[in-house]
Structure formats: C-alpha cells, structure tokens
Amino acid sequence: MNILLILPIIIPFITGIILILAWNNRPFQRAFSVVGAAALLIAGLALLRDVWQNGIQVAQMGGWPAPFGITLVADLLSCIMVILGGIMVLSIGIYSLMDVDKGRESFGYYPLLHILMMGISGSFLTGDLFNLYVWFEVMLMSSFVLLVLGGERNQLEGGIKYVTLNLLSSAIFLAAVGAMYGLVGTVNMADLAVMVQRGEQAGIIQTLATMFLIAFGIKAAIFPLFFWLPSSYHTPPAGVSAIFAGLLTKVGVYTLIRVFTLIFILDVGYTHTIILVLAGFTMVSGVLGAATQNEMRRILSFHIISQIGYMIMGLGLYTPLALAGSVFYIMHHIIVKANLFLVSGVVNRLRGTYQLKKLGGLYRVYPMLGVLFLIPAFSLAGVPPLSGFWAKFALIRAALEIDSYLIVAAALVVSLLTLFSMTKIWGEVFWKADPAEHPETEENPPLSQLAYLIIPIAGLALITVSIGLFSEPFFALAIDAAKQLLNPAEYIQAVNPVVGGSL
Amino acid sequence: MVLEAVLSGFVLALFAPWIYKVGRGAAGWILALLPIGIFIYFATFVPPVAEGETFVFAQTWVPSIDISLSFNVDGLSLLFAMIISGVGALVIIYAGGYLAHDRDINRFYVYILMFMASMLGVVLSDNVITIFIFWELTSITSFMLIGYYHEKPESRTAALQALLVTGAGGLALMAGLVMMALVGGSWEISELLNRGDVITGSSLYVPILILVLAGAFTKSAQFPFHFWLPNAMAAPTPVSTYLHSATMVKAGIYLMARFSPALGGTQTWTVVVTSFGAVTMLLAAHMAWQKKDLKQILAYSTVSALGILTMLLGVGTHAALEAALVFLVVHSMYKGGLFMVAGAVDHEAGTRDIALLSGLRKAMPITGAAAVLAGLSMSGIPPFFGFVGKELIYESTTEFDMSAILLTVFAFLTNGLTITAALLVAHKPFFGSKLSAPKHPHEAPLTMWLGPVTLGTLGLLFGLLAGWVGEFLIAPAVSAVQHHQTEVHLALWHGFSMILLLSLVTIAFGVLVYWKHEVLGRWFAPSNVISKWGPEQWYFWSLDGMLGFGRWQTRLLQSGYLRNYLLIIIFSTVGLGLYTLSKYNVFSQNTIFRPIDVTSYEFMFMALIVASAFVVTQVRSRLAAVAALGVVGYGVAIIFVLDGAPDLAMTQFSIETLSVILLVLVLYRLPRFIQFSRSRPKKITEITAALAGGGFMALLVLLVTALPAQSRLAPYFAENSYKLAHGHNVVNVILVDFRGFDTMGEITVLGIAAVGVFGLLKLRLDKTRQTDTPPDVLTTQHQSADVFPVMEREQS
C-alpha cells in the first residue's frame, strides 16, 4: 500500500477539518489554508515522481483485495491532474487572501475550498466507479456552497441551475453504475474493464457507455449539456470562478478519458465517433456563445465549453498523439483559463465591473496588467509559442494523420474565433479609452498594492510561458500518459483484481 | 549563431523600455545597433553563399513531436535577412525622430524589435512548425503595432481586421504545412524541397497548395484579401514602412518562393498563382493613382507590387524568378524610402493630402531629394535599379508560354500606373512653383531623412553596380528558389529591343495619366462604387453573419430556462440510449418481457406506487405532494420486504419518514405551488419527457434483470464479513469496512451541507455589495408567464 496515493485526498481533508475547528480565527485560517494548499501540491509532485519511476501505483483501501474493497490508482494522467489541482488551489488560496470578503471568510470559505479539493483529488485517484460517485457528491456539495455563499441574488439563480443539472447528471451516473453492477457484478474499474472485454451483452454495455457519456458530459459541459456552466460561473467571487473554471469541468473530461480508454473500448468506431462529433459541436457552439457575450466572465465561461471540445477531440480521435494532445491541452487549459478569470477579478476590483461597455483604458494605466492578460489570452487562442499553440498543434496533427479533416477545419475556425473574442476583451478593456474618467491618483492604486492578486497571476503566466518555450518535458509526459491510457492492461495488472470471482 | 541572431531581438525587446528610460532621445540610435550588428553578421555570409554554400544550424527543441529550431542560410533567406535587418535599423532610427514626443514610444520599440526578430525567424527557419511559429508572431506584433494609436476606434478596427485576415490565412497555412510534412515525410523544409515529386504527385497536393497559398495570399495582401493592408495605414508611418511595405507583407512572397521547389512547377501552381498576382497588381495599381492620401497611394501601390511579385513567382521561369528577386530588392528600397518621406511630410507639413501640398522642395530639400531618388527608381528610369527590375518583368511576361500578350498588357498597365503613383508621391508635393502646406514646413531632422536618403542612394548605386548585385545577391537567391545552382547576369543596358521600347511607352503612359489624373479621377469615380460590395464588405458581412448566427444559437441553447435545459438533457439521454440499443440489435437478441410471478399483494403495492406518483404531479399543495412522495417511498420499501431485503427496507423506511417530516417542516412556511406549465403543448412536452425518461430506465432495468445475476461482490461479502471483518451485519460491514472510504466521503458531504446551510441562512452580502453580473440570458425581451421567478432570470 502506497501512502502517497492517499495524501492528495487526506491533506485537503485534514486541512479542511482544522480550518473548521478554527472557525473563529480568520488569520489562522488564511495562513493555514495556504500551507495546506502547498502541501497538496508537494504531495502531487511526490506522487508523480513515484509513478514516473515505478509505473502505475495502487492502494487497496482497508487492505481488501480488488474488486472487493475500494482501490486507489495513480497513473501518469492521475498524477498530472492532482498536480494541476495543487497548482490551482495554491494560486487561488493566495489570491483569495485579498479577493474574498470578510463575510465569506467567516462562513467557511477556506474549509470549503479544501474539501472541494478533496473531492477533486479523490475523483482523479479512485479506481472504483461508485467511489467516484461519492467524490462527485463531495465536489458537488462543496462547489455548490462556494457558489452560493454570500447569497447574492444572481448567485442563487445560477446556483439553482448548477445544482439541479448536476444532480440530474449524478442520477444518470448512479443509474448507469447500478445497471452496470447488475450486468457484470462489479464496480471496480479495472475489474469492469476485464469483464467488459469478454464482449458479452455488448449492446447493453454500449448503451450504458452512452449514459456515462451523458453523465460525465454534463460534468464536462459538452454540447448539448453545458447549460449549467454559463448560468453560474460568472456569479461567485473571481477566485471561486477561477478554480471552478480551471478544475471542475476537467474532472468531467478526466472521467470521460478514464472510462473511454479503460472500460468502454468495445466498439471505438461507434462510441469514439460520437465523442468526436460532440467535440466538434462543443467547440463551435461554445465559441459562438463567447463571441456574442459582452461581460468578461461570461465570455470566458463560454470559452471553457469551446475548449472542452478540444480536450475530448483527442479522446474521439483515439490515437497516441491525439490523447497526448488532450492531456497536454488539459495541462495548458487549466493554468490559462484560471488565470484569465483571476485577471478579470483584478479588472473588476480596479473598475468595479465586468462589463466591456463600461471598461477601458487599462493598458494606459496598468501596462503590466495588460501583459499579464495577453499571455493567457493569446495562449488560449493558440498563438505560438505559448502553451495553447502546442496543444492545438498536437491535436491538429493527430487528426490530419488519420485524415479527419472536418474536425481539423472546426478546430482551426474555432481557434480563429477564440482569437477574435480575446482581442475583443483586449480592445474593449485595455485599448479603448476609459469611458469613465478616473482621477489619476485615487482610483488607480499601483499593482504592488494588489500583491496577493498579482503574484498568482504572474506565477501562472510564467508557467504558461515555460510550457510554451520548454515544451519537451511536458510533451514527453503527455505522450507517456497517453501510452499508458492506450494500454489498459498495464492499469489492470497494477490493480490486479481477483479474477472471475474465484477467491 | 543564427539562433542567437534571431532571438536577440526578443531579448532586446524586453529591455527596450529600460533603455528608453536611460537613453531617451538617443534610444533609437542605441537600439538600432542590434539590427546593424545583425546586418553585418549576415553580410559576412554573402561571399560563401555566392559560391553556392548553404549553412544549416540545428538545435533540438521539442523532439517528441519533431520540432527543431533549425535555421538555413541560403541565398533566399540571406537576401531577406539583410533587407529585414537593414531596413529595420533605418526604421528604428527614423522612429526615434518620428515618435519623439509620443508617450508610448517605449512600447513601440518593444513591439518593433519583437517583430524584427519574428520576421528574421520566418525567413531563416528550416522547420515547417518553427516557420509557422514565427509567422504567427509577425501577425501578432503587427496587430499590436497597427493598434498603436489604440484609443482611436479606426486603429483598433484595422488592427483586428489585419489580425483576423492574416490569422485565418495563418491557420490554413498551418494545416497545409502539417499535411505537406506528413505527405513529404519530413518536418525539415530543406528535406521537403528534395521531395517535390512526392508532394506534387500526392492526392493531397491540391488541398495542400490551396491551404499554403491561402496563408501566403492573405499575408501578402493578394486580391481578394488585400483590403486589410490599406486599412493598416492607421499605424504610425515607421510601422507602415517596415511591416506593411518592406518586410512583413513580403513574408507570403518568401513563403511561395521558398516552397516553389516543393509545390511549384505544376500547371495548377502556374495558373492559380499567376492569375491572382496579375489581377492584384492591376486592380491595386488602378486604385493607387486615384487616392489623395500619400500613405493610401503608397499602400495600394504596395499591394500592386506584391501582385507583381506573386505573378512572377507563378510564371516561375528563370527570367521570372530573376525579375521577382530584383524587383523585391528594388521595391523594398524605394517603397521604404517613400513611406519615410510621406511620414516626414506629414510630420513637418501637417497633412498627407496631396491636394493640399506643393513646392515642399524649397522647405524640405533633403527629403525632397530622397523622394526624387526613390520616385525615379519606382518609375524604372535608368540608371536606377528599378529600371533593371522593369526590364526583367517585361522579359518574363513576353516569354510566358500560356498567354504572353494578356500578361504583358496587364504588366504594361500596372507599370504605367505605378509611374503615375510615383509622380503623385514624389513630384506632386515637392514641385510646383507655390509652397503650400497646412502648417509652416521645416526640413525633417537627421533621424528622419537618413533612411530615405540611404535607401534612395542605394537604389541608384545598385543600378550602377547591377552586375555585382546580380552575382552576389540575386544569383544565390534565384538558385535557392530554383533549387539548383544558377547564374544571373544583370546589366543596365540590354541594347535596343522590343522591351526597351515597351519601357519607353510605359513611361509615356504613366506621365500622361499623371498629367490628367484629376480629370481621369472624376471619370473613374463612379466605378469605385463597386468597392461598396467589394471584399472588405464580405469581411464585415461574414463577421456580422457569424455574430448573428452565434446570437441565434446561443439564445436557442442557453435560453435561461431551467425547464428547457432539463428537457434537452433528458431527451438526449433517452435518444442516444435508444439509438444505441437498436443499433446493436439488443431488442432482437435479449428478452425484455418475460413471465414473472406477480402475487396479488405485489400487484397492489405496485398500483399504489404508480397512483401516488401520479398524484404528485396533479396536486396543487406542497404538503399533499410530499405526502404522496412518501407513499411512493414506503411502497418501494415494502417491495424490498417482500423480496427478502428487510435491512434495506428498514433503511428506506427511516429515510422516507425523516424526509417527509423535514420537508413538511420546511415547506409549511412557503407559499403555495406555482403551476409551471399552463399551455397544452408545454404540458405535452413535459409528459413526454417524463414518460420517456421513466420508460427508458424501466427498459434498461428489464434488460439487465432478465440476465442471470452475477454479482462478484455479494458472495465474498457474505462469506467474509464475519470471518475477516468480524461483523455479523453484512450491510454494516460493507458501510464501515469493505467500503468505509465511501462512507467517509458521504459523511463529508453531510458536514459540508451543514456548513452551507449555516452560511446561506446567516450570510447575506446583497445589501453590502453592488454586483454587476447579468442573468443567464442574452436578452430579456420575451418574459413569458410560466417562469418561476426565483429560479429564472430574476434581474433585468
């Protein structure tokens, strides 16, 4: 049993509990939250090191052999996701020190943040479908509370849609898990993979696969299931939007990749073609939504959808390079998208609005903020040599290698439209003359006064640039992760479920 | 070394604001040292490259996906690199004077240096992806530079337009390059050039060609993508000089020249490239002489020159390539010089409108002299280098085997109108007896006449030393484009020939149009109405169309109504599920309906459940609904009892009881139900959704339960719960031991729910904080009656 697998779940759990115990001590909460976040990141890195050196790692909870207990599994993809989660919570943890108001801090903002991370890490590490459902519940509950905490009207409005649609997803997921259990008698993923590969009752299994596609697709916000996302992401504080934007939908993408590379690979020509078609529609529909919005966070929210399309495009293409492209895209996207939300939060703090119409002139007053916006914005649009370009390139090359021209056309047009809407924000918020006149001194505090906000933004921007300029190690990692995904035997062997019910 | 030469510009760009802070007015001179150094560095390559050597510098970058930082110095890239660094140095010095009093000049230096570095990267790269990366960087830096005066709306519009048009082409180019690399089997350009037959013989040749040309044509402003270039004149003049005449717009030309060994030589190439070039050169030349603004005249004549270059590359014979490369050098010199002159005139005389300017030579003699030098080269008057260029153009069009006469006529008209444009720019403002300008003109400072004088003089020198230029600069470049060693003999004097006669007639035609340009301009004015429906309008239409379609689809999908969202998801789930079931013929292979022994009391409970479920949907009171739901739950629990799962039933009973009590307690204080759907079609949709969802689940359960149960876990749990886990109650052992980890998670959920309820009840930020977030809809026009206010689009 490898303790490293449990740490990414236990660290945020314990952090959360300690924070709840220190309910009335805000200064302690603020400091300890950052410590817990850093610990999570370190645990993730240690786990990656272990998996990189020793292959897929497994922990059987309670010492019960698979498939009877609950198994935690860490392959490269899981480790990458856990590390990204660590980077996110550390950045948001620092950012929140200045972004989150006293009221929210007093009502459990920090414990909720860490419990959310517990759910997210759990989802990345579990090797058990029902356990995944539990982590989804942890995530859903803590994210819902974070979303509506503060009780502002539009928060509640968004929150209700968020929770209703996600509960529907949970219901479909649970129904599918139940039917799956009735069919093959197990919920351990590796065990399921073995049973499904026997090819019995393929029709029912494929039908259940589509239910998983829908359930995880709602979580991932793919077309036409994404409604909850643009309804809610623009309502909470910027830090919360940022961590949601970075991580939540990616949990959905991760689970889609997990089950559609490990379990449901009976008839790739059917399931993965559906995924590819949905990827195309998701990209186009999301970016068209973004192009027509006029509020910074709404634009960014619709772009999340669009880019989910790219991530599952790699899954749909189902080649080593394509999956590597998806993995790389996830790495790039989490960093960049969260950062854009963080920048939007700074803009809101400086000018009190997210509306493009009312903003302007920030490049004149804050050129450095402009640069910090341009890096993730151009990266998002796939401008070389930033991280987004490599992600896009890998996917497009992978698609061209197998003559999948339509999806290439969609991906390229969407990337142009992404550039269009990023330059729209740039033009309206930064370039355009400020529609309201601000006295030079009073309302324009120097950025150094916003250090807690700027440090994470600059850090994430630095990561984006580094991934862009020194992409080889990241690509090597993504390619190895993809190879693992395409070889389920490795995963199954590591979990080593007791075969065929014999004891 | 080449890598460092390319990257140095990016590094210096980072320090440029600091250098400006220290150097102030001298910053331009200091920063220009870098391009001068780069120019000298590349100049050292001239002798060996003229001997036929090429230099390859390779550095690994992302080997996992075959991307290397490899650079190739051959005749073609060397010629471009020297133009880029040479003109770059002059432009940076020039900008130091032109933008001396502008508060954003430090930013200008940053972008222009980054641009220079990117442009060097484009012409030197030997990897298809690296070249694309630099290519895109030129588009981005161009965007930042066109938008330099970013508080002006027209600057922003022009910047965006240039970015979108070249960006669209860029993406096509990316696809084209990747396809070419896949077909050719290498990511290195020098390798691909050896495999021209593989590429031209491939079934993907035509798509590759179209995609690559789309990149080249948009960048080099070929019709119908040309419109962004004249609009890009919103940029400060140094930018127009450097990016939009001397270098960036020639990137497309470079690309076609570079890849012509791999893609050229086919009938398709010749027809497509030649005709786009020919149409562009004539149309743009015709537009140029009708403009009144100095920069607009120059912009259109630049488009025309790019057309000439494209046309020559399309023809592709030795003579044509020779002509193309000579004309490339000629054009960079005279057009760069004239743009700087136009900037100086604007700066010193206060306008660029030629109607308002005359006699400036008296006030600005040096600038005037530079203008004359450049204008003579542009008009192709001997002994200027422009004359050599024009002779060669005629030589190649008259030898064109497809339709020599037509192409020569096009070339003749273009060249003639180019002379008119040259006169409008270099003659009209400076000559004439009366000095006229909106403000009192002075001679431009040294920084601003150094560039045009240098370039103008070079135009003369190159003409006089044509043989030498041909041997050392043009011949290696032509060799690179032809992909084999070749010789070029340039001379000013070719003896009396048809071509010389043609040149003379051209000059006469150009002067004639200039002489009568005001009258002719009025004649042609009506024809310009066409531009209202021209390509630029297509651009705006497609942008508007995209936005209109986007709004429509977003309103359709993201309607703001939770009801619609639920319906779409349910119908998607059921639809996809049913389709999959029938695709795999599950219905024919599996039993769905089978005889089951249903006892009378089982049937009774079932009827009770169904009836209560129906009641839930019909009652108007919350309490009644909760009670009916409770009955459903109890009914299910009883079925558990009957099926031999009393422990499960007990759990269900307690949960149902608890939830009914809790719900009643909460709901008691809330107002009466609001009827969601009143209209009949809506009711029908909802009933359909409910039946479809329930029916699909029932179908699935029937399918699964018809098969023999094969739980792998139950026997193990039953056997080992006491033996290994020391507990008699299997359910308990599962919950706290076998799957205790799940329970830990579920307890966490409950804890968080408690925190959440506490926070929601106690914390209300609405009063203290004013937010500015819109509701989840685009428009708030159609407020319909069936909206539950709290759940749906509250704010408006």
Side-chain angles (χ1 to χ4, degrees), chain A residues 13 61 64-65 67-70 101 103-104 107 112 115 118 128 130-131 134-135 138 141-142 145 148 150-154 157 161 165 168 175 181-185 187 191 195 201 203-204 206-207 210-211 214 218 223-224 226-227 230-231 234 267 270 285 288-289 291-293 295 298 353 355 358 363-364 367 374 378 383-384 389-390 392-393 397 400-401 405 412 415-417 423 426 431-433 469 471-472 475 479 498-501 503, chain B residues 61-67 103-104 107 111 129 132-133 136-137 140 143-144 147 150-151 156 160 163-164 167-168 171 174-175 178-179 182 187 204 546-547 549-551 553-554 557-558 560 562 565-566 568-569 573 576-577 579-581 583-584 586 590 696-697 700 704 707 710-713 716-717 724 737-739 741-742 744-746 748-749 752-753 756 758-760 762-766 769 771-778 791 793-794:
Chain A
F13 185 48
M61 302 308 289
W64 299 108
F68 307 114
I70 290 167
D101 48 274
R104 285 189 173 88
F107 281 89
L112 286 165
I115 299 297
M118 175 196 185
D128 186 287
F130 185 77
N131 191 236
V134 173
W135 296 128
V138 174
M141 186 50 79
S142 45
V145 177
V148 295
E152 291 167 22
R153 261 190 146 161
N154 52 34
E157 189 216 341
K161 286 172 187 161
L165 296 171
L168 183 60
Y181 180 74
L183 201 61
V184 295
V187 286
D191 201 26
M195 303 297 283
Q201 294 302 334
I204 299 180
Q206 291 291 80
T207 309
T210 64
M211 287 177 71
I214 299 267
I218 294 175
F223 175 89
F226 55 67
F227 316 109
S231 322
H234 60 294
D267 184 358
Y270 179 63
S285 181
L288 285 175
T292 53
Q293 301 298 314
E295 199 245 14
R298 283 278 278 197
T353 180
Q355 301 284 356
K358 299 180 189 165
Y363 187 50
R364 170 85 42 235
L374 279 183
F378 278 149
V383 170
F389 167 71
W390 299 109
K392 181 176 77 176
F393 167 70
R397 178 176 164 185
L400 287 174
E401 278 175 354
Y405 299 110
L412 290 176
S415 105
L416 186 68
L417 294 180
T423 49
W426 172 252
W431 261 1
K432 183 179 76 184
L469 294 181
S471 33
E472 176 56 22
F475 253 111
I479 287 175
V498 178
V499 186
L503 297 177
Chain B
W61 189 10
V62 197
S64 301
I65 44 169
D66 308 308
I67 294 165
R103 56 179 168 173
D104 289 335
R107 296 178 191 174
Y111 297 129
I129 299 308
F132 176 74
I133 288 173
E136 289 290 88
L137 280 174
I140 295 293
F143 169 74
M144 299 304 287
H150 52 77
E151 269 126 6
R156 296 200 299 273
L160 180 66
L163 182 67
L164 289 183
L171 291 168
M174 176 173 166
V178 173
M179 283 162 75
L182 292 173
W187 295 84
L204 289 175
M546 182 273 291
L547 289 174
F549 177 71
R551 268 189 287 273
Q553 75 105 30
T554 311
L557 285 169
Q558 196 72 27
L562 185 57
Y565 301 163
L566 290 169
I568 294 177
I569 292 176
T573 314
L576 190 58
Y579 175 76
T580 312
L581 284 174
K583 181 186 182 311
Y584 288 94
V586 173
N590 290 57
F696 176 68
M697 279 315 301
L700 211 58
V704 170
L707 299 163
Q710 47 166 301
S711 172
R712 309 196 37 205
L713 309 184
Y716 180 88
F717 290 154
L724 297 177
D737 198 339
F738 291 121
R739 299 191 66 93
F741 205 46
D742 282 343
M744 186 184 93
E746 290 296 350
T748 313
V749 174
I752 289 302
F758 183 66
L760 271 178
K762 289 272 187 182
L763 179 65
R764 288 277 164 190
L765 293 175
D766 250 351
R769 230 176 73 145
T771 52
D772 204 5
T773 42
D776 170 35
V777 271
L778 279 170
M791 287 171 87
R793 46 194 227 191
E794 258 284 290

Side-chain angles (χ1 to χ4, degrees), chain A residues 65 143 171 183 339 362 364 385 401-403 447 470 483 493 495:
Chain A
S143 61
L183 201 61
N339 206 7
L362 281 179
R364 170 85 42 235
E401 278 175 354
I402 55 171
D403 303 335
L447 286 186
F470 310 102
K483 279 184 193 151
Q493 202 188 347
V495 175

Side-chain angles (χ1 to χ4, degrees), chain B residues 259-271:
Chain B
F259 283 106
S260 65
L263 294 172
T266 62
Q267 176 120 1
T268 324
W269 166 281
T270 311
V271 171

Side-chain angles (χ1 to χ4, degrees), chain B residues 63 98 127 165 184 220 240 266 297 322 334 353 433 560 740 785-786:
Chain B
Y98 185 84
N127 182 290
V165 174
S220 286
S240 312
T266 62
I297 299 171
E322 213 174 284
Y334 77 68
D353 188 338
S433 48
D786 65 345

Side-chain angles (χ1 to χ4, degrees), chain B residues 15-96:
Chain B
F15 294 102
W18 178 78
I19 291 173
Y20 175 72
K21 211 174 252 176
V22 178
R24 285 286 151 186
W29 294 98
I30 300 169
L31 292 170
L33 291 175
L34 178 74
I36 292 172
I38 295 175
F39 182 83
I40 295 170
Y41 169 67
F42 281 113
T44 62
F45 282 94
V46 171
V49 168
E51 296 285 308
E53 272 189 73
T54 58
F55 298 84
V56 178
F57 302 81
Q59 162 94 35
T60 55
W61 189 10
V62 197
S64 301
I65 44 169
D66 308 308
I67 294 165
S68 61
L69 274 172
S70 50
F71 296 101
N72 180 14
V73 182
D74 65 0
L76 184 65
S77 49
L78 185 61
L79 183 66
F80 270 92
M82 289 176 69
I83 294 175
I84 293 161
S85 51
V87 179
L90 296 174
V91 164
I92 289 174
I93 294 170
Y94 179 86

Side-chain angles (χ1 to χ4, degrees), chain B residues 161 185 276 293 339 342 385 465 485 524 563 581 792:
Chain B
Q161 191 180 61
F276 269 91
D293 179 303
F339 261 112
F385 201 40
L465 303 171
Q485 206 56 27
F524 278 105
R563 172 182 177 277
L581 284 174
E792 306 284 348

Side-chain angles (χ1 to χ4, degrees), chain B residues 286 289-290 519-529:
Chain B
H286 178 61
W289 69 268
Q290 298 183 59
V519 185
L520 288 171
R522 278 195 291 279
W523 281 12
F524 278 105
S527 72
N528 294 333
V529 181

